[in-house]
Structure formats: C-alpha cells, structure tokens
Amino acid sequence: MILFTLNMLLGFASLVLVLITLGFALQAAAMMLLRDRPFSPLPRRPSVAALVPAHNEEQNIEATLLCIKQDLKAGDRLLVVADNCSDRTASLAAQAGAEVLVRSNSELRGKGFALAAGLRHLASTPPEIVLFIDADCQINRHGVDLLARACATAGAPIQCRNLMVAHPETSGPSRLAEFAWRIKNDLRPNGYARLGLPCQLHGTGMAVPWALINPDLFATGHLAEDIFFGLELAIRGHPARFFRDACVTSYFPDTQSGHVQQKRRWVHGHLGLIRSHLPRLLLHALKTRDLQLLALAADLAVPPLGMLAIANLVLLALSLLYLAVVGSGSPLAYSALALAVFAFSLVSAWYVSGRDLIGLGEIAQVPRHMAMVLRTVLTLARRDRTQWIRADRPRTRAPVGRHVRHTRH
C-alpha cells in the first residue's frame, strides 16, 4: 500500500509539473513559429498622467523624468510620489518640472501604497490614461505616446516590454539573471501575444485607462502588487495586452546582496499569488468558459525559472531513487517527460532570446544561480516572509539605454 501511494504521488507530481511546464513551452514555441500580430494604435493621442513612485531615488529620478517629459504634451501630467524619502528625490523631481506628492507613512510602506496615494491625487482632474513608470526606469523615445495610443485603442491595460540589465561597471548579477528576466518579461508575454492571449502586468511600463483605475487594488501591501492588480482586472473582464514596440529599461541592483533581496521579494510575491489567485482564476475560467483567464492561470502557475529547474531535477532524483529501491520505472518515465518539456522550452528560449547572452561561461554559473534560488525557497518554507525593502541601485548615473543589449526575434 505504501509503495502504491508513493508511486501515485510521484506520478501525480510529474503530471502537474508537465502541465505547468507546458504553459512555458507553448509561449516559447509561439515565439519560434509565429509572427507578431499587427497592432494599429489610434491616431488620436489621449491625455496622459505619468505616475512615478519613488523611494530614495535621487540618483535616477532626473534621467527617468527627462525620458518621460520628451513625449508629454500640453494637458498631460507628470506626478512623482516621493514615498518615505530621506534624500533629495522630491526636490530633484520638482526641479525637473514634475508635480511632486510627498508621502510619509512608516506603517504603510511599499510601492503599492505610494501608487494608491498618487492615483487618489490624480482623481481631482483625471486623465484618460495613467502610465506607470518606476523611478529607476527609462522609457524609449516615443514610448509614452505609443503606450497611450495603444491603451486607448485596446480600451484595456497595456504592458510594454520591460528589460532589466546588469550594469557594466558593477559586480551585480550574471547574464543568467538577465536571460531569466528576458524570458519572463519579453519572451513569455510576447509568445502569448502572438497567440492572441493576454499577459501579466509588470508594475512599470504599463498603461491603464482611467475608467479601470481603483486605488484600493494597489493599497494592499502585497509584494507583487503589479501582478495582483492585473489579475484582479482580468477577473473583472479586463485582461492586459502586451505591446512590444514600447520599452522600459533599468539596471539590476548594484550588489549581489541587493539582487538576492530583490529576487526573494519577487519569488515570495509570485508564490503568494499562486496560492491566492490560481484557484480563483481557474474557477472563473471554467465557470465562464473564458480562454483568456485560463491562459493567465497557466502563466501564473509557472514559477520562476530557477525554481522550475530545481523542481524538475528534484523530481527526477526521487524517481531514480524509487527505481533503485522498488524497481518500478513508471515515475521515472513521467519525470523524464516533465524534464524533456522543460529542456525544450529552455533551449527554445535561448535560441530566440539568449544567444547573445548565454555561452559556456554563463552555463558554468548555473549551480551558483540555482543555489541562490534554493535559498529563497527555503526562506519561504520557514515562513520568513520578505518585507518590501528598496534594493540597492547602481551608484553611477550612466544612461541605462547605452548598455542595453537588444534581441532580434
């Protein structure tokens, strides 16, 4: 009876892992086999309010605001929420021509509360479109205009391409982290877009019609307030669309410890949403027969890349142990299938988005990268919930756009 139960558990775990990885495989295959769908924004440019949450961002705020201001027109607004700042963020933002809202609340800390305060401030004279850009990001030329028009055309939230790169003058994370970021925020949503499916919101580089704005959906204290907001809108019938022509770019944290801290916060937030929203999404999708919600559920179920790799390797090791002890190879067959699907997805992603980043030198760093991910998982298993803390930023002010490595799909 015990052996039968173990066999069933390993088989079930392998099946779940195959189903989860199939979502990633579908997105990677779409990027290889399909072309971008045409997206023709409206010729009329709607009014825009660019909302920039900032916590101690004196090193980056001026460059960020300069990029945004290039595309603003008469009647647009540029609002910086200086949230619990102890530096010159507010004064520098004002000097750069932004409207500044100073927020001080040591109890309700985090980006979500800053965004909620900014949205309530904008409500007196609301724009047609709200554009969200983090204070350490720079948007490409005409990006504001493109996002605003795309959002007005779709009448739905729009997420642009969101790239994060390693600063060339710091000892930050390796190219493996940059590759994983490309997969999550470029390859996967663009694969879905080529299939006509929605995407998650990433918190920066997103545009939302004012009619869909609800500050209370941000003021939750959630570690992944951006994905939370997008999922809530999707459940209400307004899933986000991916728009690759606009792009925001930023640097990874300045130090390895800062990167680990940031990674831990993202992983904890993502896994928390899997627990809280995956059942809701599946229930709504099945109840309403909504393929869009089902696609978002499949996307949400895919954990961070490192975690998915670890899960496949652990399951394979357990199946091999079961074969050696019991002599049954059926769990091994299932786990091998899961690993094969994951390998196909990863190789496809590398071919489409990683050939300029990943070589033999980067492959040698894989064990170290996975060890960092494993430590993050263990902290979550100990219920050590990461609080929102600003990660270290690069100490230099070199324009981020100068060092971006672009991919061709």
Side-chain angles (χ1 to χ4, degrees):
M1 182 63 182
I2 296 178
L3 294 179
F4 175 77
T5 303
L6 288 175
N7 196 327
M8 292 296 294
L9 287 175
L10 285 174
F12 178 75
S14 299
L15 177 61
V16 170
L17 200 55
V18 168
L19 292 176
I20 288 175
T21 312
L22 278 175
F24 177 25
L26 179 65
Q27 293 163 334
M31 281 298 297
M32 290 186 66
L33 303 176
L34 302 179
R35 294 186 177 182
D36 288 332
R37 296 191 173 206
F39 194 99
S40 301
L42 289 174
R44 188 186 74 84
R45 160 69 150 73
S47 62
V48 170
L51 178 56
V52 182
H55 173 68
N56 291 343
E57 293 285 359
E58 64 178 11
Q59 295 178 342
N60 304 295
I61 192 67
E62 292 175 296
T64 296
L65 298 181
L66 178 62
C67 287
I68 297 172
K69 286 179 64 179
Q70 293 180 101
D71 286 343
L72 295 184
K73 301 184 181 302
D76 292 339
R77 298 175 69 179
L78 175 57
L79 174 63
V80 173
V81 180
D83 186 58
N84 291 293
C85 292
S86 58
D87 65 356
R88 298 184 301 149
T89 295
S91 60
L92 291 175
Q95 292 174 22
E99 183 180 353
V100 180
L101 173 63
V102 177
R103 178 180 179 272
S104 299
N105 190 323
S106 59
E107 298 297 323
L108 302 178
R109 297 173 61 85
K111 178 181 170 183
F113 294 111
L115 291 174
L119 292 171
R120 293 188 179 108
H121 183 81
L122 292 172
S124 58
T125 54
E128 293 177 83
I129 304 295
V130 180
L131 177 64
F132 299 81
I133 299 181
D134 285 352
D136 61 331
C137 293
Q138 294 185 29
I139 191 166
N140 65 326
R141 183 70 173 172
H142 306 304
V144 171
D145 187 72
L146 289 169
L147 270 177
R149 293 175 189 270
C151 187
T153 301
I158 294 291
Q159 175 62 57
C160 78
R161 190 162 40 128
N162 174 18
L163 298 180
M164 186 171 276
V165 299
H167 197 286
E169 300 175 13
T170 66
S171 58
S174 67
R175 290 187 172 192
L176 286 172
E178 190 173 333
F179 177 52
W181 188 264
R182 280 189 189 179
I183 291 175
K184 180 180 181 292
N185 285 1
D186 188 9
L187 180 139
R188 288 176 54 191
N190 202 30
Y192 258 9
R194 292 182 178 187
L195 291 166
L197 298 173
C199 68
Q200 310 288 355
L201 290 178
H202 302 157
T204 183
M206 63 185 194
V208 182
W210 181 260
L212 302 182
I213 290 295
N214 181 352
D216 293 338
L217 293 181
F218 285 100
T220 61
H222 201 286
L223 293 175
E225 79 291 324
D226 45 4
I227 305 178
F228 178 93
F229 177 65
L231 292 176
E232 289 294 330
L233 287 184
I235 291 173
R236 289 163 170 76
H238 306 286
R241 295 185 59 182
F242 186 67
F243 184 67
R244 198 171 187 272
D245 290 347
C247 178
V248 292
T249 311
S250 61
Y251 289 125
F252 281 107
D254 189 33
T255 62
Q256 185 65 27
S257 61
H259 176 59
V260 170
Q261 182 185 82
Q262 187 180 67
K263 179 75 173 179
R264 184 175 300 171
R265 188 175 74 240
W266 288 337
V267 170
H268 286 201
H270 189 160
L271 295 183
L273 283 174
I274 289 178
R275 291 195 304 269
S276 64
H277 278 66
L278 184 57
R280 286 183 61 199
L281 283 172
L282 290 173
L283 181 62
H284 279 273
L286 295 175
K287 187 176 180 179
T288 60
R289 298 180 182 179
D290 190 332
L291 179 61
Q292 304 278 310
L293 282 182
L294 188 61
L296 280 178
D299 184 69
L300 180 65
V302 179
L305 192 63
M307 288 188 62
L308 191 57
I310 290 173
N312 274 279
L313 293 176
V314 168
L315 190 61
L316 182 66
L318 290 175
S319 299
L320 286 170
L321 179 63
Y322 187 83
L323 174 64
V325 174
V326 179
S328 174
S330 55
L332 180 60
Y334 299 140
S335 60
L337 175 61
L339 186 60
V341 174
F342 175 72
F344 162 79
S345 306
L346 195 59
V347 171
S348 300
W350 170 81
Y351 181 79
V352 173
S353 298
R355 283 176 292 172
D356 63 322
L357 278 176
I358 305 302
L360 293 178
E362 285 70 36
I363 292 176
Q365 299 175 16
V366 168
R368 179 184 176 188
H369 186 78
M370 293 182 66
M372 182 188 73
V373 174
L374 185 58
R375 287 195 297 269
T376 299
V377 175
L378 292 176
T379 59
L380 183 63
R382 295 196 303 264
R383 297 185 179 277
D384 180 17
R385 184 179 184 273
T386 300
Q387 302 297 319
W388 185 90
I389 301 175
R390 176 186 177 274
D392 299 333
R393 302 291 190 227
R395 290 183 290 271
T396 58
R397 295 190 183 185
V400 69
R402 293 182 184 176
H403 306 294
V404 177
R405 290 180 288 271
H406 298 283
T407 57
R408 295 181 180 180
H409 299 334

